[in-house]
Amino acid sequence: MLAAEILNILSVSLKVSLSATLAAALVSVPIGIGLGWGRFPGRNTLVTVLKTLMALPTVVVGLLLYGLFSRLGPLGFLKILYTPAAMAAGQFVLALPIISSLTCSAIEGLDPRVRRTALTLGASRFQAALLGAREAKLTLLAAIAAGFGRVVTEVGSAIMLGGNIKDYTRTMTTAITLETAKGEFELGIYLGFILLAVALGLNLAVAKGLESR
Amino acid sequence: MMDDNIYKLDRVKRLACNRVLLDIIGLEIAPDRVVRIIGDNGSGKTTLLKILALLDRPDTGHVYVSGTLVEWKWSKLRPLRNKITLLEQFPFCFKGKVIDNVSLGARIRGMPKKEAKRKAISLLEELGLHEKTNQDAGGLSGGELKRVALARALLCDPHILILDEPFSELDEKSGALVTGVLERYLTTKKGIFIYSTHSENSYGFTGERRIFLSGGRLVNKNESICLPVKPASRPMVPGGT
Amino acid sequence: MFKTLNGKVNLVNALTGFTFLSAFFLFSPARADDIRLATTTSTQNSGLLDFILPDFEKRTGMKVRVIAVGTGKALKLAERGDADVVLVHARKLEEKFVRQGHGVRRKKVMENDFVLVGPESDPSHIRGAKSIKEAMKRLKSCKAPFISRGDRSGTHIRELSLWDMVGGPPPAPCRLEVGQGQAAMLRIASEKQAYALTDRGTYLAVKGISDQLKVMFQGAKVLINPYHIIVVNPKKHKDMNFKGACKFEDWFLSPRIQKMIGSFKVKGVVLFRPVIGKK
């Protein structure tokens, strides 16, 4: 396998997983804060459901979205099956419960005075949420990093929705699956190490960025 | 129906883990300038103040603010809360600079940035904290934190200002500074001022109405209706010291 | 206090029990006379193995553990001693495997055929092609994409040899390598309304494919697909089940099983031709 090919695979992996994680974070952080501070009927059930969905099997997500995006499926007209967009959609669904559950826990774990102080100073719900998110910033970043870790390493939905098409939807994990299928175990392990190194580099970068603040 | 009382509490109960924190059958707070709530530790002062600040919802009973029944719904609460600011006994400061914390409430309430900063700096000076202005709020001592939070609450300029044990945690010098600032606030602003102390004999304000709490219930004492005065009719001087 | 202690004790008990239970399932012993068969996805996906293997197990009392992967991986597994016997279809790889001393007793056991499939609308006009060479040339014109296994399986290697007839495979948007098994490859081809090379058995057996993709070209000699059984060399891997593997090969070539293979039908079509009894 050429170095250029590996770089290509790596860039597909990062592009898909980063965009999916960021999109999921934009949706999940508000959900998590709402659940963390909100008190409404069904809230506890919802939290439990989200916690359970953290363990959502990747292939189940792949299967559900496959049915949705398939040519004969309800969203078939979008024609995004076997494209990076479909993979990103799958990873979005996978990251969502993780980031929102962890955000919810982070917000619940905040000093109760954070919310009271924000409200007594006249904050709207949105402003209070922003203040809360600022206080919990480190934990929220860890939650997003956990979401990224989950999606960049998953293979089930990526292979079902992306199709492992060379130079297009082949990611680190689907490439490892393929190399193993070809019997190229050593290459598979090298790819695995590269994936680990990338994850490590990203975590170090986040840690460094936080330190310098 | 018009109601002169700023607060009316009707059979309000607040429980926590089967313990009664607060059990008030009926309480009306007339629009006196200063209301002082007195009670020992654990008497329910903080719970009552949180309910008055609309930050804690009673388990049963009704709360009226200026004659309006409080419905504990977001859309209805915010306009009411905007009239009230609570300074907690152990206040919280957000991450960031002291100056940003002090101007936060005023900024949220729509004061322009420059004006908020200017007022924040002058308040901090009055409270003897000008050298802390640009420091991180995380490094403040308990007494400093309290004064920073007081400045923040004052800058909100609420109709009802609620202070939970404003003089605790303060040494003599800071206590005097706080009293001075509060006196000046009372003479220059028209709002209503509710505060709590655990003893009857500490700092006090002339003409204050006193409410006594014990074990979460109201206690009738004769002094509790001492010297009612009409709002803003006369200058306030420190009393009780 | 006691209540929480009890609670903890119960939890510990439950966890220990669970651990033992799962250990029992994980390490439920593989019997020494089990046979590990590494084979291609086509024999498994078409349903042939499910059809014939119960007979072997009943007769010999040995269990056959099937590892269905691409031919390339099947041979690699055998090379590492992770299989006792292979049933594969890629002549060049097989010959190399035997030449390098990894396998013995290579015997042809059956054959089937490859077909070119594609969408009903047939944008590249493969149906009208006179020869396989012409068909491949038309595919190269790229009116619709061609989906390749790209996983060094027998089908992939055969596909590459077909492209060699017309000067090599076309580049990326025209030919997409999906690096997956036969069934997944067909599903992608069906979704993309693209062409693909597949063995007839898998094509017919994978549900929902034959509605979406039709046979475009078939019957050429180069499309015949012979399957071989190779027994792993016992000199390389001492602990392997050599006896069982030989027994399996003999059984596969017995007239009764050969007849059974010849009678195996999917959707009314015979998929595999036996090598004896029909000549």
Side-chain angles (χ1 to χ4, degrees), chain A residues 3-28:
Chain A
E5 205 177 326
I6 293 179
L7 277 181
N8 199 322
I9 290 171
L10 196 57
S11 89
V12 171
S13 260
L14 289 181
K15 264 188 238 160
V16 167
S17 296
L18 280 176
S19 55
T21 311
L22 288 182
L26 282 179
V27 179
S28 325

Side-chain angles (χ1 to χ4, degrees), chain A residues 117-204:
Chain A
T117 307
L119 293 181
T120 203
L121 292 177
S124 66
R125 244 188 293 195
F126 179 68
Q127 288 165 329
L130 276 184
L131 285 167
R134 245 188 68 204
E135 288 303 306
K137 193 172 62 191
L138 286 186
T139 342
L140 292 197
L141 275 173
I144 294 170
F148 178 76
R150 157 96 151 154
V151 298
V152 80
T153 53
E154 73 89 23
V155 59
S157 86
I159 209 159
M160 284 169 94
L161 297 169
N164 190 24
I165 296 171
K166 195 180 164 204
D167 295 335
Y168 186 50
T169 57
R170 186 162 297 169
T171 65
M172 295 303 287
T173 53
T174 62
I176 291 171
T177 310
L178 169 61
E179 293 311 327
T180 315
K182 288 203 297 203
E184 299 280 356
F185 302 111
E186 292 83 0
L187 190 50
I189 288 179
Y190 290 145
L191 287 172
F193 274 122
I194 294 174
L195 185 59
L196 259 178
V198 167
L200 182 68
L202 253 146
N203 268 329
L204 284 179

